[in-house]
Amino acid sequence: MSTIALALAAAIALGLCGAVLWTSRKTPTAAPPDSLGAPPPDAAPAGNPTEWIAEGLALADRLVEDFAHRAEALDLAARFHQRFGDSARAASLWRQCLDRDPRCAHAAFCLGSAAWEQGDFEQAVAYLRRALAIDPRLANAPVILGESLMQLGRPEEAIGVLEKAEAATPQSMRWFLLGQAYLQRAQYEKARRAFESAIALDPGYTKAYYGLVAAWSRLGDTKKAEEYQAVFVRLNAQENAEAAKERDARRDPGADEIRRAAARFAFDAARLYAARGDREEAGRLLARAAGLDPAEPGYRQALDTLSSSAVPTETSSP
């Protein structure tokens, strides 16, 4: 690792993550050659969401070109494409990532999640099992795996996955899926307890109330089933009304969210360039991150750390 990357270590330890944005490699003419300054903290970020996304996608492609053999770079580019660009391109990059690093649990998880979203549950199961074999701590993977197995009509396997997933998130959905699986296996008392656990964690979990209707009906308690049926009907009506209001409101797609995601992307890209000794590009990316998200002090701290560090005497290749 280069001297620059070591100098950035303290700032990177802040735990910031994301990907890239700054396409020009030219040295700024308005500043001395050794200056890597960012806009003042109170400066308004330049551009708009459409421009930030386009800039990020262009830099994502440049990351793939500059770090073709680095699984981490491919993963970062894939994340940005998945969120703001082309999901097919993201999947292709995650497959390349697994080719470079077969132990990349995140890439396997993302491919499994993408397959689940597309309704390819067999492929989802294969990738998610692979992800969990690499990293059993992946909190979301057991829930998506369990749901995929349920879609395939394999409740017994889903139960095996979900019962052991005590660290899974969201826990309310884990219990709901367990309830569904228990119902299919005619384990009605277990189903009742599972649905009640889901509601204890999320009192507004509408589908879990419907699950309780089914469980109590199978247990022969029609009064309890009717009580939960009434709750389900009320909550379902509220959900439908809220969904209609959200559609009518046509809310802004979230300019601030896009801007902050672009800034995090730039920060992580700077780390990659710093690791291979490209001080100039790392500095511009950090300046861009600080300019896009002036409220995040970590970006400017990382830029100051880089600006004050010694010029490296050795570099590492991507």
Side-chain angles (χ1 to χ4, degrees), residues 71 91-113 115 121-138 140-142 144-146 148-149 154 157 161:
S92 174
L93 290 170
W94 275 315
R95 284 191 289 270
Q96 293 178 51
C97 184
L98 277 178
D99 289 341
R100 305 291 188 278
D101 180 8
R103 300 288 299 170
C104 185
H106 180 79
F109 168 73
C110 289
L111 285 167
S113 298
F121 301 114
E122 289 284 4
Q123 189 172 67
V125 168
Y127 275 122
L128 291 166
R129 286 198 186 281
R130 179 174 178 176
L132 285 167
I134 298 168
D135 184 1
R137 299 168 299 175
L138 287 172
N140 290 328
I144 302 175
L145 175 56
S148 299
L149 289 166
R154 291 149 64 178
E157 290 181 60
V161 170

Side-chain angles (χ1 to χ4, degrees), residues 231-269:
V231 177
F232 167 75
V233 169
R234 175 173 55 81
L235 290 176
N236 192 53
Q238 290 176 358
E239 278 190 2
N240 291 337
E242 289 170 3
K245 287 180 181 178
E246 288 183 5
R247 288 193 299 270
D248 293 340
R250 295 176 183 171
R251 294 177 178 174
D252 185 273
D256 285 341
E257 180 184 356
I258 294 171
R259 176 177 55 79
R260 288 192 293 268
R264 290 193 299 269
F265 193 29
F267 179 85
D268 268 5

